[in-house]
Amino acid sequence: MPGASRIREAGLFYDLHVTDEWGTRLAGDRALLDRGSTAERVADILRQRITEGVFLPGTRLSEESLREALGISRNTLREAFRLLSHEGLLEHQLNRGVFVRLLSTADIRDLYAIRRILECGALRNLTTVPAEAVSLAGAAIEVAEQAAARGDWSAVGTANMRFHQTIADMAGSRRVAEAVRALLAELRLVFLVVADPRQLHEPYLAGNRALYELLAAGDPRAAEEALQRYFDDAEAQLLAAYAAAA
């Protein structure tokens, strides 16, 4: 992935123009939208494309081009922009337009502070570990390990996010689950500007499996302590990688 230094040229963000690559991709998404589609559904599609790296941090999103590609109204698109801005994925710059956010190191520290509260808190409050959650966590790890074996580090990152979402879901709270889902989507913006995705994701394959084994053994206290250490290491590593890409 290009580093943060390549996202700007002469202090200016890249503009987004219609290209065969993303235009065709989004045109294919029209099938997911019916005539009664809401802004939430459009936001879902754009969120997915952002986290896949179709739109890199710093990219200006052309309203006209997106409306043409998706076949939606101006009001629907603007409401989708508003929703994604509220989630921290987009930002509106006065007289310039809407951009995919380029996060700062302060944002990274804040994201990990909140993840400690929510994910570690989910484990702290467990009396027993739900068997279904253990199964889902194990499935996410298997997907990550299979993706690593074929060198698909983006897929490893996606499976890692799924694993952590499973931990958050153990809280049994819709609000916690939704909050962590938004945090993880925002964190993907950081992943997209790190030059070496393998270096970023590979160290946590073993860490995730170790967490899974503690959960499978029915020891949420030990899992919480391990997750705290995991977050300390992950935050430090990500800050260093992000600084190197800047």
Side-chain angles (χ1 to χ4, degrees):
M1 292 294 177
S5 61
R6 295 178 60 192
I7 295 174
R8 293 189 179 90
E9 288 185 348
L12 298 177
F13 286 106
Y14 286 137
D15 198 358
L16 173 66
H17 299 288
V18 176
T19 66
D20 289 341
E21 181 181 356
W22 76 257
T24 302
R25 188 79 169 272
L26 285 181
D29 289 330
R30 283 196 190 199
L32 302 176
L33 300 171
D34 57 32
R35 296 185 65 181
S37 290
T38 64
E40 287 84 358
R41 188 70 190 97
V42 176
D44 286 343
I45 290 172
L46 293 179
R47 185 188 302 108
Q48 180 66 27
R49 297 306 176 225
I50 289 169
T51 59
E52 289 173 348
V54 174
F55 305 124
L56 292 174
T59 300
R60 178 180 176 274
L61 300 182
S62 165
E63 191 174 294
E64 181 180 353
S65 298
L66 288 172
R67 284 178 52 217
E68 178 182 347
L70 290 170
I72 56 176
S73 70
R74 176 180 287 106
N75 287 342
T76 295
L77 181 60
R78 288 183 176 178
E79 177 61 13
F81 281 170
R82 187 191 67 79
L83 293 171
L84 295 176
S85 296
H86 181 71
E87 293 178 14
L89 297 181
L90 301 180
E91 62 179 350
H92 182 270
Q93 298 183 15
L94 188 63
N95 298 324
R96 297 194 61 213
V98 176
F99 294 80
V100 180
R101 279 189 66 210
L102 184 62
L103 272 65
S104 66
T105 54
D107 289 318
I108 296 173
R109 293 189 180 94
D110 192 43
L111 285 169
Y112 274 91
I114 300 171
R115 291 186 71 190
R116 289 182 181 92
I117 293 169
L118 296 179
E119 291 185 53
C120 293
L123 297 179
R124 187 179 311 122
N125 292 323
L126 286 178
T127 53
T128 59
V129 182
E132 181 181 2
V134 172
S135 178
L136 290 172
I141 288 172
E142 288 181 7
V143 169
E145 291 174 345
Q146 291 166 4
R150 63 177 184 269
D152 188 348
W153 296 102
S154 177
V156 172
T158 298
N160 180 48
M161 298 293 99
R162 191 173 301 137
F163 173 77
H164 284 279
Q165 185 66 54
T166 299
I167 291 177
D169 291 347
M170 291 181 192
S173 164
R174 176 180 58 82
R175 289 177 175 83
V176 168
E178 290 178 351
V180 170
R181 188 172 294 109
L183 290 171
L184 294 176
E186 195 173 352
L187 194 61
R188 289 300 289 266
L189 295 180
V190 181
F191 294 170
L192 293 172
V193 299
V194 174
D196 187 348
R198 177 174 183 171
Q199 182 183 21
L200 181 65
H201 297 302
E202 190 171 32
Y204 301 103
L205 291 168
N208 286 348
R209 181 157 285 283
L211 282 169
Y212 164 74
E213 290 173 355
L214 290 171
L215 293 170
D219 194 345
R221 300 289 81 76
E224 182 202 346
E225 292 173 3
L227 185 58
Q228 291 277 7
R229 295 190 297 271
Y230 178 111
F231 280 153
D232 290 344
D233 292 343
E235 180 181 3
Q237 186 231 15
L238 191 55
L239 286 169
Y242 201 65

